[in-house]
């Protein structure tokens, strides 16, 4: 199996009603055929992403998805792997000097991807990416969407070992909106106030989905880098919630301390990325 960097994932599962009639039929057939489990599907999706990096065209008919059943209702999270790979490649090039970017992702690869991506956006303006990923860590802004009580932890010597947070879209949007309001208020009064990066982008992304969707944060491959005790003691969600609450009270000192605890917790894993 190809070697890929361990990553965390933020996924949105939309109800079947959010899709077109043709897509609903396809996803119903897909679910009836027995889709892979979350763990197996996640590993398979990472391998597919490597193949997508060199594929010049997109065929959404071949897409796979994660499927959840909640209270008898089907929720779908399409992988959209090809779209995500192309978007990541273009974003990666955009933040690097041309000479450096050309060494990693030459234009002979990214230019056709950009053309194909634009073509698909024009043909399907409602096409959405249901998955965000981050290698070697969990972005602090993702923790804002959840409550500590929404954690599901499986430890021990098992193939299902995992750390997952799940919530409703309404709760996730409410929490993101509260954080955005807090950040904007602070920016209006102080340029030195600590903030959580990416909150506005995250809120806008959530706003593009069906209001009855479900949101999932999956540590996925990161659990292989953390022992059971580290997973049990991980209080990143609590710390970020505390940071936002402190900001709302004007206690920027306490907010900075709570936010720093999250950064310190994830620095060892980020250091492995630099060393790899």
């Amino acid at each position: 199996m190809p070697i890929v960097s361990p990553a965390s994932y933020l996924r949105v599962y939309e109800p079947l009603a959010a899709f077109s009639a043709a897509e609903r039929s396809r996803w119903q057939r897909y679910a009836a055929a027995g889709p892979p489990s979350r763990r197996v599907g996640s590993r398979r999706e990472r391998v597919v992403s490597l193949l997508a990096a060199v594929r010049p065209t997109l065929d959404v008919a071949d897409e796979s998805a994660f499927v959840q059943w909640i209270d008898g209702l089907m929720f779908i999270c399409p992988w959209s792997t090809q779209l995500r790979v192309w978007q990541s490649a273009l974003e990666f090039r955009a933040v690097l000097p041309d000479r450096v970017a050309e060494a990693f992702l030459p234009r002979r690869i990214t230019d056709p991807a950009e053309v194909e991506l634009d073509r698909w956006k024009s043909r399907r303006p409602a096409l959405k990416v249901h998955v965000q990923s981050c290698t070697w860590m969990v972005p602090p802004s993702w923790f804002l969407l959840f409550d500590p009580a929404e954690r599901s932890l499986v430890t021990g010597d098992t193939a299902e070992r995992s750390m997952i947070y799940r919530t409703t879209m309404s709760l996730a949007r409410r929490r993101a909106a509260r954080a955005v309001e807090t950040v904007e208020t602070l920016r209006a009064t102080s340029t030195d106030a600590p903030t959580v990066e990416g909150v506005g982008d995250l809120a806008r992304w959530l706003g593009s989905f069906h209001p009855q969707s479900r949101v999932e944060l999956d540590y996925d491959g990161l659990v292989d880098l953390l022992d059971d005790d580290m997973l049990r003691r991980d209080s990143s969600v609590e710390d970020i919630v505390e940071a936002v609450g402190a900001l709302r009270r004007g206690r920027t000192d306490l907010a900075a301390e709570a936010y720093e605890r999250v950064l310190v917790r994830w620095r060892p894993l980020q250091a492995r990325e630099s060393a790899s």
Side-chain angles (χ1 to χ4, degrees):
M1 180 178 293
I3 298 174
V4 293
S5 299
S8 58
Y9 294 87
L10 187 64
R11 306 186 183 105
V12 170
Y13 290 75
E14 289 196 284
L16 205 57
F19 299 89
S20 67
E23 289 176 314
R24 287 199 297 272
S25 297
R26 181 162 67 88
W27 290 131
Q28 286 173 323
R29 292 193 301 271
Y30 178 84
S37 67
R38 179 202 57 81
R39 186 70 167 170
V40 172
S42 180
R43 290 174 177 172
R44 186 180 302 172
E45 200 268 349
R46 291 199 296 272
V47 174
V48 171
S49 69
L50 294 179
L51 299 176
V54 296
R55 184 187 299 170
T57 58
L58 170 66
D59 183 0
V60 294
D62 288 338
E63 282 186 357
S64 296
F66 294 106
V67 179
Q68 285 185 359
W69 289 90
I70 301 174
D71 296 331
L73 299 177
M74 185 191 303
F75 291 78
I76 303 293
C77 176
W79 290 0
S80 303
T81 308
Q82 187 69 66
L83 290 175
R84 288 162 47 209
V85 167
W86 283 342
Q87 288 180 343
S88 296
L90 297 176
E91 290 168 2
F92 181 75
R93 273 205 67 111
V95 299
L96 294 175
D98 285 342
R99 182 178 299 179
V100 177
E102 191 66 19
F104 287 96
L105 285 171
R107 288 197 176 277
R108 61 181 174 78
I109 294 178
T110 57
D111 283 355
E114 185 170 13
V115 171
E116 188 75 1
L117 186 59
D118 289 342
R119 183 175 70 87
W120 271 96
K121 286 181 177 179
S122 64
R123 291 176 57 183
R124 298 181 61 181
L127 193 63
K128 295 174 289 189
V129 174
H130 292 67
V131 184
Q132 294 192 25
S133 63
C134 182
T135 56
W136 296 99
M137 67 173 297
V138 180
S141 60
W142 293 5
F143 295 122
L144 283 166
L145 307 180
F146 303 93
D147 182 87
E150 294 165 342
R151 182 173 80 169
S152 175
L153 175 62
V154 178
T155 58
D157 186 15
T158 170
E160 297 304 315
R161 188 170 180 268
S162 61
M163 175 89 121
I164 299 174
Y165 287 86
R166 295 188 177 100
T167 193
T168 63
M169 178 59 77
S170 59
L171 286 174
R173 284 178 177 172
R174 190 180 310 162
R175 292 160 183 166
R178 188 182 302 126
V180 169
E181 179 186 0
T182 301
V183 168
E184 290 179 346
T185 300
L186 285 171
R187 285 176 176 168
T189 58
S190 173
T191 58
D192 297 327
T195 184
V196 181
E197 295 182 2
V199 179
D201 291 339
L202 188 59
R204 285 187 289 273
W205 180 65
L206 293 176
S208 66
F209 296 102
H210 192 284
Q212 300 302 316
S213 300
R214 311 283 299 188
V215 185
E216 174 183 273
L217 166 57
D218 186 357
Y219 279 41
D220 198 67
L222 300 184
V223 300
D224 297 329
L225 307 178
L226 304 168
D227 61 36
D228 286 355
D229 188 52
M230 295 172 70
L231 290 174
R232 294 189 190 98
R233 290 187 291 106
D234 184 350
S235 59
S236 297
V237 168
E238 291 90 334
D239 291 334
I240 290 295
V241 170
E242 179 181 338
V244 174
L247 287 176
R248 292 178 69 86
R249 300 192 306 273
R251 293 297 307 270
T252 56
D253 56 333
L254 297 180
E257 290 177 5
Y259 190 55
E260 181 64 19
R261 288 199 297 271
V262 177
L263 299 181
V264 168
R265 184 175 297 118
W266 291 99
R267 276 174 189 155
L269 265 64
Q270 290 180 287
R272 292 197 192 188
E273 178 182 21
S274 300
S276 62

